[in-house]
Each structure stands twice: as C-alpha cells, then as structure tokens.
Amino acid sequence: MPYLTQLLPEFEIDTDDLEKCHAFVRRVFPNEARVIDGKNSPVTPLHFRDGMKFITVSQTMPVAMPNVLMKTKKFEPKIQDGWQLPFRLKANPTVTKAGSRVGILDNGERMKWLSKALSESGCEVVSSYISAHGKEQGCHRPGQPPMTFNSVTYQGTIKVRDKAKLVNALMSGIGRGKAYGFGMLLLG
C-alpha cells in the first residue's frame, strides 16, 4: 500500500545540498527498500522539495521523528482517462551519448524530453512551460567530484490517456535522479 506523506522539519536543512535532503528523507523512511539482484536494498522514497516542505510517495510508513511535522495518508490517486489536469514536475532530463548520461541543456530539447516522458507515462502534454532551471549538486563521495544535476521544473496541463500508466508514474517517478528529489509528478 503506497503512502503520500508531507514532511515539515522544524529545524534547518540546507535545501541547496541535495545530499542533506536525501539523508533527511532516508532517516524518515529507514524501512523503504526494494529487491535488487535478489537482495533487499534500502532506497530513498520518491520526493519533491518545496522550500522546507517535502512531499513523498513511499511503500512504507514514515518513522516518527522529533521536530518533524508529518501528515500521512494512503496514496490512492483518483484519475480517469480523458481528464485534463494541471501538473508540476521537477526533472533531471538526460540522454545517453557514447555510453554516458548527459544533461539536456537546450530548452527545445528539454520540451521534447518532457513530451516523450509524459507520453510513456500515459498522458499527453496539452500545454507546458519551463518555470525554473539550473544546476544542483549532490552525492558527495570521498575522492570524487560531486554529481551535477540539470534541474528543470516544468508546469502545464496534461490529458490522461492511460490511467494505469499514469498511476504507475505517480508512484515510481519520471526520469533520473529520483533519490535526490527529481521525477515526482505532482497533479492538481
């Protein structure tokens, strides 16, 4: 049973540091895992950050933490084919070139990426625009430079074509960088 949780920490988190945001969400959901190569591996739930507010979709309930306000409910999207809905998506649009993943920097190509990603997720773009873009860094590993994510926030309207695919995208996310706050499709 998936859950939708809103988290509001009553302490400061450097929200410009994706690794610190990632670590915070992992602490609240220590039991979130999926089977990878036959082993139960911990994962960070899909999440979206808006200032100090975090919205998550998870398979497990959050663990109560001091100084963190939480609102959790069962995640049961009520969507019908043919509906037009406003959306917001913070994504890390990428393509693979010569075996390496690279960020898409051209706005026209970013819009094509969005159209394809949403089409694969059971909907079509009715209208859309880029409301914000920039670079964000995260995943600081010793001896390695931090990973850089090309952050793009899209907004607009979608038309639902395949409810089942869209619900799957709402629960699993779209694109790369989901553990660092990218890929959560918000509707309504």
Side-chain angles (χ1 to χ4, degrees), residues 36-90:
I36 301 173
D37 295 329
K39 296 178 185 173
N40 215 17
S41 300
V43 295
T44 303
L46 186 63
H47 62 281
F48 179 85
R49 184 184 77 254
D50 186 8
M52 288 298 291
K53 180 173 71 173
F54 293 77
I55 301 167
T56 67
V57 172
S58 63
Q59 296 300 317
T60 59
M61 291 283 290
V63 173
M65 290 182 64
N67 302 317
V68 179
L69 301 175
M70 296 181 194
K71 292 181 187 175
T72 300
K73 64 181 181 179
K74 290 179 183 176
F75 185 56
E76 302 171 310
K78 293 175 178 34
I79 298 169
Q80 296 298 320
D81 288 344
W83 281 9
Q84 289 194 22
L85 301 165
F87 79 91
R88 185 172 180 192
L89 171 67
K90 180 179 177 184

Side-chain angles (χ1 to χ4, degrees), residues 143-165:
Q144 295 182 358
M147 290 173 54
T148 300
F149 297 92
N150 288 299
S151 173
V152 180
T153 302
Y154 300 96
Q155 290 184 246
T157 304
I158 58 168
K159 184 171 187 175
V160 181
R161 292 290 183 205
D162 185 327
K163 172 185 155 183
K165 281 185 180 179

